[in-house]
Amino acid sequence: MPPPPEPPVVFAHWERFVGWLLQRTEKFPKRMAFTFRSRIDGLALDVVERLVEARYQKDRQGPLMRINLDLEKLRLLLRLAHEQRALDPKSLAYACAELDSAGRMIGGWLRYQQPMPR
């Protein structure tokens, strides 16, 4: 029996990033716990769920498009958290670079799913 296919690279990338992100949001001030922290953590975990959906569904386009939308929401929330001084500039730069990298991987996966023109 052949071994199961390896998960897409974006799985490992996102898992590492979410671990890093949860450590940062945990340190947000208490006044931001129910606004920025819960929303940022929730969106990051939504991406995890959508990655699993995309891996196991025949039609992957829907979950992958939602992931792209979630990544854009995360970018905005992280910038706002930075403006509120909950996230330092170095962490914001790292997070944005990781989100861009994940976005490129998802974009490649989306392009791979589209039928080739004849």
Side-chain angles (χ1 to χ4, degrees):
M1 182 190 304
E6 289 292 317
V9 175
V10 69
F11 275 74
H13 173 86
W14 195 253
E15 187 176 338
R16 281 189 307 274
F17 175 69
V18 169
W20 175 88
L21 183 63
L22 293 175
Q23 289 177 352
R24 295 309 171 284
T25 59
E26 188 177 84
K27 296 174 185 172
F28 280 12
K30 193 176 243 183
R31 66 182 171 82
M32 300 178 126
F34 295 108
T35 53
F36 289 107
R37 183 187 332 164
S38 63
R39 195 67 201 120
I40 289 169
D41 291 353
L43 277 169
L45 294 171
D46 287 348
V47 171
V48 170
E49 291 178 11
R50 293 187 209 291
L51 284 168
V52 172
E53 290 173 20
R55 183 171 184 204
Y56 289 100
Q57 288 181 1
K58 185 173 182 157
D59 179 16
R60 295 178 171 110
Q61 201 140 4
L64 293 174
M65 295 294 287
R66 287 192 305 273
I67 290 170
N68 269 339
L69 183 58
D70 289 343
L71 294 178
E72 194 58 37
K73 290 176 184 178
L74 275 170
R75 279 184 193 94
L76 175 61
L77 288 171
L78 290 169
R79 283 194 306 266
L80 290 171
H82 168 69
E83 289 173 9
Q84 294 296 313
R85 301 188 193 290
L87 195 62
D88 64 81
K90 186 177 175 183
S91 294
L92 176 65
Y94 175 79
C96 288
E98 294 298 300
L99 289 170
D100 288 346
S101 181
R104 283 192 302 277
M105 289 182 220
I106 296 300
W109 199 1
L110 265 169
R111 284 188 296 282
Y112 180 76
Q113 297 305 307
Q114 296 173 348
M116 299 293 274
R118 295 180 186 220

